[in-house]
Each structure stands twice: as structure tokens, then as C-alpha cells.
Amino acid sequence: HATLYFRDTFDLDLHETVRNFRGVKEAQARRTLEVRGQKPGDEEWRNLTLTAIADFKDVRINRIFTAGGKFPPAQDDVLMEQSALESLGLEVGAQILVETPLRKQRLLTIAGVVRDPGAPSSMFTGRLNGFVVDDTIDALGEEARPDQMLLHMDGEKLTRDQVQAVLKSVRNRLEGSGLAVVWSWAPPPGQHPLQDPINTLLLILGALGVLVLFLSGFLLVNTINAILTQQTRQIGIMKSMGATTGQIAVLYLALVFVYGMVSVLVAVPL
């Protein structure tokens, strides 16, 4: 339901305290590290978010699911989110070079692939996601203590206002105890975190679809008008021989239907 981001790392057992707060059903701490990733022999660096999980067998919020390879990982192993692995063009067993903000580099082995339903696809964001154990963060010269708190609120069919109220209460109590919360985030309950951007994208695509439909209809009308202008004499001859307006209209509507079918046969496979 919500995530708290702290300025400094904190003790892992803090989530046990937060679980007892009123309105909180579950809390779990995590550590994320922003690094750069590179395929060995490649010159291009990619943004990579490493999420350290203390116990892969006790993930209660934002669960991940193994999709192949080793699980859980060992030190110097990384589990890559499946869209990130596809974006890199690597396979399980390959190595990836990572570099921390302090310029420390280390080779990590892609030990497995996981599916993270709550994370945006790397194809969409351009950012890679990987999961490691705390020892890997230590080996990279960084502190493995958590800096985030994931919250699951108590109750069913919660509104965003209800979530925000509990989140504000939790944040105030933590800041009152001396912890600095730099940011808190609560997406609309029951929606994917990228639902708003996706809705915007669908709106743009829908508007473009309507515009294309209008322009193609306009093009077809002009084409039929041009044909009618060229065939005025033929229409006149048919009328003089007893053809009705309805019969002539059917002929040209059939032509429109043929144009439409040809366009569908071309457009649908594309």
C-alpha cells in the first residue's frame, strides 16, 4: 500500500516495531542500491537497481517469483527481473559488471531469473532490476542495512485517503523517534504503480486512432468522389437504361467494401 524512503539506513528489526502500529497489518524493510550495469566486453552502461533482501524465503510484501535458475542467490549472484534479462540479451549463468556510485566494480553472476509483478518493465523504463543478498551489497563496499520500509495496511477495500492517513501516522511516529523520512509514496490501492502513465498512453493512442480513422475516411470519400466524377457518363448511360439510384449506390458501396477489406487484410497482420 505504501513505501517509506529514509535518508539513512536503519536496523532491520525496525519493521517488527512498525508491524505493531495501529492500522498496519504488515511491514518489511529492504535495501536498494543504484548502480550501473554492463555486459562484459560492451561499452554501454545501463542503470541497474539492486534490491537486497535479507531472507528470500520470508518475503511478505511485493513478492517475487522464480522463473528459472537458482533461488535464492548466493553472494556475488544476482537474480535478474525477466524483462531486464531480455533487455540485456543475456542468459542465466552469464556475468554482468556492476559499478557503484563510488566507482567500485565487481562481476556478478546471473544465477536466476524472477518475475516481479509490481515492478515496471525494463522495456518501458529503460531501468534494470536485480535482487541480491545482503552479503553482495557488503562486497560492493556499501552498507547492507535497509533504507526502505514497505507497508501493508490493515483492512479491506481501503481508499487512498485511508492509506494516506495511516501512512502519515506512521511517518510522524518514526520521525518523532529521530528517523528522517525523505519521501513517502502511496499509489491508489488495487492499481498497478504505472496505471496513471498507462492511462495517459492509452488516451493518446485512442486520440491518434480516432484521427487516423477520420483521415482514412476522408481519403476514401475523396477517392470515391473522384471515381464518380470520372464515371459520370457511365452512370448516365446506366440511368437511361433503367438503373435505379439504389442499384447504382449498391455498386459503389460494394467498391467501398472491397477497399475496406483490402485495407483490413493489410492492417490486421501489421
Side-chain angles (χ1 to χ4, degrees), residues 26-125:
E26 187 60 74
Q28 196 151 32
R30 281 189 180 181
R31 171 75 160 104
T32 59
L33 178 64
E34 300 295 334
V35 299
R36 299 196 303 171
Q38 182 187 72
K39 292 192 295 184
D42 195 355
E43 296 182 357
E44 181 185 4
W45 288 97
R46 302 282 299 275
N47 292 325
L48 171 61
T49 300
L50 294 178
T51 300
I53 298 178
D55 186 358
F56 278 83
K57 297 181 180 179
D58 187 33
V59 179
R60 307 183 185 186
I61 305 177
N62 283 8
R63 292 175 178 171
I64 57 175
F65 303 91
T66 178
K70 183 179 177 182
F71 189 91
Q75 182 180 336
D76 291 334
D77 286 346
V78 58
L79 302 179
M80 296 298 295
E81 198 274 326
Q82 57 184 3
S83 66
L85 197 63
E86 294 171 2
S87 179
L88 283 170
L90 296 176
E91 296 181 352
V92 174
Q95 290 187 315
I96 180 172
L97 179 67
V98 300
E99 182 181 84
T100 69
L102 298 178
R103 302 297 182 184
K104 183 171 183 177
Q105 296 185 352
R106 195 174 184 90
L107 276 174
L108 300 182
T109 301
I110 301 176
V113 55
V114 295
R115 181 171 59 87
D116 184 359
S121 171
S122 298
M123 304 294 182
F124 188 83
T125 63

Side-chain angles (χ1 to χ4, degrees), residues 80-170:
M80 296 298 295
E81 198 274 326
Q82 57 184 3
S83 66
L85 197 63
E86 294 171 2
S87 179
L88 283 170
L90 296 176
E91 296 181 352
V92 174
Q95 290 187 315
I96 180 172
L97 179 67
V98 300
E99 182 181 84
T100 69
L102 298 178
R103 302 297 182 184
K104 183 171 183 177
Q105 296 185 352
R106 195 174 184 90
L107 276 174
L108 300 182
T109 301
I110 301 176
V113 55
V114 295
R115 181 171 59 87
D116 184 359
S121 171
S122 298
M123 304 294 182
F124 188 83
T125 63
R127 179 176 293 276
L128 309 175
N129 293 292
F131 298 87
V132 296
V133 293
D134 290 343
D135 290 343
T136 302
I137 299 294
D138 289 330
L140 288 169
E142 299 286 340
E143 193 174 11
R145 298 203 317 167
D147 59 356
Q148 293 180 14
M149 182 77 70
L150 308 179
L151 301 176
H152 184 74
M153 307 310 184
D154 194 15
E156 297 182 1
K157 297 182 179 179
L158 297 173
T159 65
R160 193 170 191 177
D161 289 340
Q162 290 173 319
V163 172
Q164 291 280 13
V166 178
L167 178 61
K168 183 178 179 180
S169 174
V170 173

